[in-house]
Amino acid sequence: MPFEPLVPAGPALTVEEQRRYARHLTLDEVGVDGQRRLRAASVVVLGAGGLGSPALTYLAAAGVGRIAVIDDDAVSESNLQRQVVHRTADLGRAKVESAADTLTALNPGVEVITHRVPLSAANADDLLAGHHLVIDGTDNFTARYDVADAAVRAGIPHIWASVNRFEGQVSVLWAGHGPCYRCLFPRPPAPGAVPSCAEAGVLGAVPGVLGSLQAVEAVKLICGVGEPLVGAIQLLDLLRGRVSRIRVAPDPTCIACGSRRGAPAPAADGWSPETLRSRIDDGDVLVVDVREAEEREVNRIPGSIWLPKDELLDGRWRELPTDRDLVLYCRSGIRSGECLAKLRAEGFTRADHLAGGIRAWIVAVDPSLPQA
């Protein structure tokens, strides 16, 4: 679905700008007007890490005129495997300072604003004020919900992505045009339910791909071209070379953008292993394994049925009942969360997933099961 350009075109390009952005100017979809819009745009990027690094780099290279970077962390050696906006010489420096130096060296015509602070509910509105859109590159769920809610209040697009090992997902969340983040994920995951990159690992190029896609979505919105990922989540399994897309709709009862706007936020998302075990014993829940066949051969929750993620998202969700409790599970909660978003978008009000996946089940319920 096309949208009007997010940013009005600014003054005429200089001769130097025409040379620098020549490859943009030859694109009918961008052209001179689009480049003037990019120069007039103001974008805020939350996180100068794995996702923020490519997003920041390509926004600066594209000529986005004003870029604000929010990050309170310092560069560490383990960052350098994927956070390509930083260099070995930057170890120990504030990430916002390192990123600003890299972006300014790449394109001196870009204004870079740095905020070495943690984003929170208290400062999110101020940090987003005056910007046309926000790119979310954080892996901190508290900050993710805070920036998502602030984007709704500001009425600006929230370009979200997440990565895990070899997989990722990206979407444009924009209340009034499509769902917001809370429409899809009303509650944060239970503490420890979703492993961090340090715990699960990540191939360095994977956030590079996802962060670059975030930059592409930003350019599309600024220039008003193509079909932004509003109302859709792009799913990438880069280990298997699979790309898919699911449609998602706003939740009319959402506490951030719907009829329950302003209601207290619900508790952490996902059933605990102990709760699921009790409900299985009572016989009143359908447990659905969304992993791959080879994973299910290693271990499984007794009584669960098997419906792989890709097949579920591709239409087999229609085979599931809507009139009973459903609990999805995978290895750690990432894939089951993707499937849960689809089910909730399709009206499965009694669907949920297992916080922490079968790994949490093994720890809390059945240590005799082998780890996948």
Side-chain angles (χ1 to χ4, degrees):
M1 175 181 177
F3 289 87
E4 291 297 316
L6 195 63
V7 181
L13 301 178
T14 65
V15 173
E16 292 78 9
E17 288 172 328
Q18 293 176 37
R19 288 198 298 264
R20 177 180 282 267
Y21 306 116
R23 298 302 182 270
H24 276 178
L25 303 186
T26 59
L27 293 171
D28 291 340
E29 294 84 354
V30 180
V32 172
D33 281 352
Q35 195 62 51
R36 292 164 59 198
R37 297 181 198 280
L38 289 169
R39 188 183 55 189
S42 183
V43 173
V44 58
V45 178
L46 175 59
L51 292 167
S53 288
L56 287 164
T57 302
Y58 278 108
L59 291 176
V64 170
R66 184 168 176 257
I67 302 173
V69 191
I70 306 170
D71 199 310
D72 65 332
D73 200 4
V75 181
S76 66
E77 193 168 11
S78 64
N79 297 152
L80 301 178
Q81 165 254 12
R82 64 199 179 281
Q83 299 181 18
V84 294
V85 80
H86 312 297
R87 303 291 182 265
T88 301
D90 295 318
L91 291 174
R93 294 185 68 198
K95 286 186 178 180
V96 293
E97 296 175 1
S98 170
D101 285 351
T102 300
L103 302 184
T104 302
L106 173 63
N107 191 347
V110 172
E111 178 188 3
V112 182
I113 302 166
T114 60
H115 301 284
R116 192 182 183 185
V117 295
L119 184 138
S120 67
N123 64 13
D125 290 336
D126 289 338
L127 290 172
L128 267 59
H131 298 287
H132 294 105
L133 60 85
V134 58
I135 289 181
D136 180 1
T138 183
D139 59 0
N140 177 305
F141 279 98
T142 300
R144 180 170 292 171
Y145 278 87
D146 288 340
V147 75
D149 293 344
V152 172
R153 291 191 294 270
I156 62 175
H158 166 209
I159 304 178
W160 158 75
S162 67
V163 296
N164 178 56
R165 291 168 55 81
F166 300 94
E167 299 180 352
Q169 50 191 323
V170 60
S171 183
V172 175
L173 306 168
W174 193 4
H177 300 271
C180 75
Y181 188 73
R182 283 194 188 270
C183 289
L184 307 182
F185 307 104
R187 296 164 289 179
V194 179
S196 66
C197 289
E199 297 168 323
V202 61
L203 184 70
V206 173
V209 172
L210 272 295
S212 296
L213 288 175
Q214 288 180 291
V216 170
E217 292 301 309
V219 170
K220 287 159 61 178
L221 289 165
I222 291 166
C223 297
V225 300
E227 297 183 9
L229 287 170
V230 177
I233 301 177
Q234 193 86 43
L235 308 171
L236 296 91
D237 180 345
L238 298 175
L239 186 61
R240 297 175 176 86
R242 298 174 183 170
V243 179
S244 59
R245 178 184 295 195
I246 59 173
R247 302 298 305 179
V248 287
D251 177 1
T253 64
C254 176
I255 66 167
C257 69
S259 62
R260 297 175 57 240
R261 186 167 184 164
D269 197 8
W271 286 30
S272 70
E274 295 83 359
T275 298
L276 179 57
R277 177 180 60 181
S278 175
R279 294 293 297 276
I280 290 174
D281 291 342
D282 293 341
D284 61 350
V285 63
L286 178 63
V287 183
V288 183
D289 184 350
V290 301
R291 298 174 299 164
E292 298 295 322
E294 58 269 23
E295 296 176 280
R296 187 166 172 84
E297 290 176 1
V298 175
N299 55 35
R300 68 186 68 179
I301 294 176
S304 61
I305 68 170
W306 181 49
L307 183 53
K309 181 193 80 170
D310 289 347
E311 295 182 23
L312 183 150
L313 297 177
D314 199 35
R316 289 191 61 196
W317 58 269
R318 297 179 178 87
E319 301 174 14
L320 297 173
T322 60
D323 59 351
R324 63 180 299 190
D325 289 339
L326 301 176
V327 176
L328 312 168
Y329 76 92
C330 63
R331 181 175 181 269
S332 62
I334 299 292
R335 287 170 286 175
S336 60
E338 296 173 13
C339 294
L340 179 60
K342 174 63 175 176
L343 293 186
R344 286 178 173 168
E346 297 295 341
F348 283 74
T349 59
R350 297 179 64 175
D352 214 316
H353 73 146
L354 175 62
I358 198 166
R359 297 198 315 174
W361 175 271
I362 290 171
V363 170
V365 175
D366 189 357
S368 68
L369 288 177
Q371 290 278 0

